[in-house]
Amino acid sequence: MTERKPNILLITADQLRYDCIGSSGVYPVQTPHLDRLAAESIVFAEAYSHIPVCSPARQSMLHGRRPESFGALWNYNAFLPVGYLQPEQYTWTAQLAENGYTSAFLGKWGVNPVHDPTSFGYAYYISESDYEAFRKSRYPNVTYMNGYFGERSPVPLEDAQTHWFAERAIETMHALNEGGEPWHMALHFSDPHLPCRPSGRFADLYAPGDIPEWAGFRESFANKPHIQRQQLLSWGIEHYEWADWAPVAARYYGMISQLDEAVGSVLDALRQLKSAAHTVVIFTADHGDMCGSHRMMDKHYVLYDDVVHVPFMIRQPGGRGTGAASSRFVYNLLDLGPTLLELAGLPSDASRFHGSSLVPLLENAEPLEWRDSVVATYNGQQFGLFTQRMLRTDAWKYVWNLTDLDELYDLRQDPAELVNLIGNGAHTELLADLRKRLYDQLRADGDPAVDNEWTRRQLLGGAIADRRA
């Protein structure tokens, strides 16, 4: 008898920091349901987003390759026109559909402005527009006044977007389960992306006075790229102190706890299904959020851990690996496709993917060869174009800013990334090594940033005017 293929439940949050779930043990955010899932899962403590921008990250997740390799440089609905993933291009979701999986997609899309998930292997789709139609029909007079800084939502908790999608997910899961075929459901919450508008008891769950400053809040911008200080002016937050940021962070916390409750209801419903023991459960986020760290908001023009370090946990069927943790560097989105294909017993062409299957790590094995660093990229967004490439090891982070001052952080002495050591002669040899390693990875992945003599000279020829401000 052929072994049954596992079901796959993928749940993502939008702009959720690694340090803002309870299992991280860093900030006092209450996430009991995610903490329980973490206790039942293998948790990847060093998981990183390869690009902290919504649409490119989501396209890469399905395609398995860095967005620069297929033209998805930034969100297609912001600033200048840009490329995006097409239905005729490979996606592991279509491969699942071709091999007997029935799939459903709920929530935030961001992959293609014309074609919806049904063009990429999914049989069913419930969109954010569906929720908006529901909300407007039931609460036509709801208005919001505080813009991206967020506020209390007047919509009752049971009709909030988090809980509405959780209910649709439960209904969809039951329908998929009745079909008898292996299924894949992707539930992509759009929270806690700003503006944060928690509902009901979550709106007052955290008092601003109880919210600790982010470790990176006391940013001076000394010896930092100019664009970081410019961001404050673009947002109009150049005079904000922590007293101004604390209410914003409190709403961010509240939105995360509200999301956690919605996720918990889906996981509780899954436990009631007979197929629960045959279901792989993944929880992660596309990237993080500054939310006042380094005095900035959102996620643009920086590659601090605030935006690239993300939660990532995988619960396997049968409880394998329960409660285990991995400290290996992983890509939560690039590694996802090859991992799920292997768990589903389907062929995975390594040449298709810029990531690797995590199955060896899920099996508590210690591969002799595994990456000892991660690379993240950024290409620009609504305030203008700005190209960045980052290489992070366990001890150092190097950020190549192609048209501005580079960044070098000693993560053991300065985990908040406040002191830029670029230009410090004591690190000349280290810097040359990091630049060469970054170049090699970018070249291997077909990144056009290293595909001309001028930019290549920056990394390999040392033609960068490192300085102290």
Side-chain angles (χ1 to χ4, degrees), residues 342-361:
E342 184 169 353
L343 290 174
L346 298 177
S348 173
D349 182 354
S351 67
R352 284 191 184 278
F353 296 101
H354 286 154
S356 302
S357 172
L358 300 173
V359 169
L361 301 182

Side-chain angles (χ1 to χ4, degrees), residues 156-334:
L157 182 60
E158 62 270 19
D159 288 338
Q161 186 167 246
T162 50
H163 288 51
W164 187 88
F165 267 110
E167 286 301 312
R168 304 291 81 72
I170 292 168
E171 295 167 358
T172 302
M173 206 160 47
H174 279 279
L176 292 172
N177 199 60
E178 291 174 359
E181 300 295 327
W183 52 263
H184 161 48
M185 187 172 78
L187 173 57
H188 294 292
F189 289 101
S190 60
D191 293 301
H193 191 295
L194 77 172
C196 290
R197 294 167 177 154
S199 292
R201 64 184 181 278
F202 293 104
D204 301 311
L205 184 59
Y206 301 95
D210 296 334
I211 306 297
E213 289 185 8
W214 304 113
F217 178 70
R218 296 290 166 176
E219 176 64 75
S220 70
F221 299 106
N223 206 39
K224 295 291 183 83
H226 168 76
I227 200 167
Q228 294 190 21
R229 189 184 295 272
Q230 178 60 43
Q231 269 216 80
L232 275 62
L233 300 173
S234 297
W235 282 105
I237 56 176
E238 63 270 25
H239 302 301
Y240 270 38
E241 302 294 341
W242 183 247
D244 303 298
W245 277 113
V248 179
R251 288 188 284 271
Y252 183 67
Y253 278 29
M255 208 62 247
I256 294 169
S257 292
Q258 180 176 318
L259 169 71
D260 175 76
E261 182 174 271
V263 171
S265 67
V266 175
L267 297 178
D268 286 344
L270 175 63
R271 291 183 183 99
Q272 304 304 314
L273 294 178
K274 293 181 179 179
S275 65
H278 305 290
T279 302
V280 178
V281 179
I282 306 100
F283 178 83
T284 192
D286 55 354
H287 51 77
D289 192 308
M290 298 304 288
C291 196
S293 184
H294 295 265
R295 298 171 54 196
M296 289 182 274
M297 67 188 299
D298 211 5
K299 71 270 187 177
H300 297 299
Y301 310 101
V302 293
L303 290 171
Y304 291 124
D305 274 10
D306 305 81
V307 298
V308 294
H309 194 189
V310 292
F312 186 30
M313 57 190 78
I314 299 178
R315 187 175 75 190
Q316 300 180 85
R320 296 193 302 276
T322 295
S326 173
S327 60
R328 295 296 190 104
F329 281 115
V330 302
Y331 294 111
N332 66 315
L333 303 181
L334 290 178

Side-chain angles (χ1 to χ4, degrees), residues 27-205:
Y27 292 108
V29 189
Q30 300 172 33
T31 57
H33 301 284
L34 288 174
D35 296 348
R36 177 182 176 184
L37 178 63
E40 300 168 344
S41 302
I42 291 183
V43 175
F44 295 94
E46 297 294 338
Y48 290 83
S49 172
H50 64 287
I51 182 166
V53 182
C54 301
S55 289
R58 293 166 186 277
Q59 293 171 58
S60 282
M61 178 178 65
L62 299 190
H63 188 48
R65 300 179 71 83
R66 294 185 182 277
E68 293 82 12
S69 68
F70 58 97
L73 302 180
W74 50 82
N75 291 341
Y76 50 71
N77 59 354
F79 205 63
L80 300 173
V82 71
Y84 39 81
L85 193 65
Q86 299 294 334
E88 60 269 19
Q89 293 176 290
Y90 171 83
T91 59
W92 56 265
T93 51
Q95 187 175 347
L96 288 180
E98 293 162 2
N99 285 274
Y101 275 81
T102 303
S103 300
F105 189 106
L106 294 83
K108 184 165 184 173
W109 178 228
V111 171
N112 186 293
V114 178
H115 300 282
D116 68 25
T118 60
S119 296
F120 294 84
Y122 292 94
Y124 306 100
Y125 176 39
I126 300 175
S127 70
E128 290 181 295
S129 296
D130 293 327
Y131 172 75
E132 283 303 310
F134 161 81
R135 186 184 66 79
K136 289 179 180 179
S137 68
R138 184 160 297 191
Y139 307 100
N141 298 318
V142 166
T143 57
Y144 297 103
M145 306 297 294
N146 204 34
Y148 284 107
F149 297 93
E151 60 205 285
R152 169 192 286 273
S153 175
V155 176
L157 182 60
E158 62 270 19
D159 288 338
Q161 186 167 246
T162 50
H163 288 51
W164 187 88
F165 267 110
E167 286 301 312
R168 304 291 81 72
I170 292 168
E171 295 167 358
T172 302
M173 206 160 47
H174 279 279
L176 292 172
N177 199 60
E178 291 174 359
E181 300 295 327
W183 52 263
H184 161 48
M185 187 172 78
L187 173 57
H188 294 292
F189 289 101
S190 60
D191 293 301
H193 191 295
L194 77 172
C196 290
R197 294 167 177 154
S199 292
R201 64 184 181 278
F202 293 104
D204 301 311
L205 184 59

